[in-house]
Every structure is written in structure tokens, then in C-alpha cells.
Amino acid sequence: MLTTIEGVYRNGKIEFSKTPRDVCDGTPVIVTFLPSQPVDLQERGIDQAQAAALRAQLAAFAEDWESPEMNIYDNYDEAKSDLQTR
């Protein structure tokens, strides 16, 4: 299962907004740096109704992606590499 926690990058370190639960020390992470400015959807031709529709569509995707069955993809590249070296 994936865990998402907000934080900020400061002095070369990530400071979490809260302490992650059920996560062991040494657990691998992926950090995505977000733009510090909000995205102007109108500038990109997206109105409020379209934004709401996109949020609804992506919410369904997130539910699927976070399902336990999708954990098989967590180490996909490593598993694929192992198969190719056999």
C-alpha cells in the first residue's frame, strides 16, 4: 500500500508535515517536487466544471491504483530485470 505525506524541502532535507505511521526506517521513497505556485487551470483552458470532472475521474484511478492487487507493480523494473538475466 502506498503512503502519501506532505512535507517541505529545507536545507537539503525533507521535513514531513506529520510522522508516517506503519513505515519502517530504511523504507524506499520517491520524492516529487511540486510547483510552489498554484496551477492556473483557466490559463490552460480548463473551467471549473471540467476541473471537477477531472477530479472525479482521477479519484476512481487512485482507488484502483492503491488496491492491494497493484502492489505487484511496486518492483516491476527489478522483477523484469531479474527475468531478463535468467
Side-chain angles (χ1 to χ4, degrees), residues 7 12 14 21 27 29 33-35 42 45 52-53 56-57 59 61 67-68:
I14 304 295
R21 294 186 300 148
T27 299
V29 298
F33 290 90
L34 303 173
Q42 288 182 337
Q57 291 170 349
F61 173 80
S67 70

Side-chain angles (χ1 to χ4, degrees), residues 1 5 14-15 19 34 36 50 52 59 62 69 74:
M1 193 68 98
I5 299 175
I14 304 295
E15 297 176 6
T19 302
L34 303 173
S36 56
Q50 291 170 317
E69 296 84 17
D74 288 350

Side-chain angles (χ1 to χ4, degrees), residues 48-66:
Q48 288 184 348
Q50 291 170 317
L54 286 170
R55 279 190 206 95
Q57 291 170 349
L58 293 174
F61 173 80
E63 289 173 21
D64 290 341
W65 187 251
E66 292 173 2

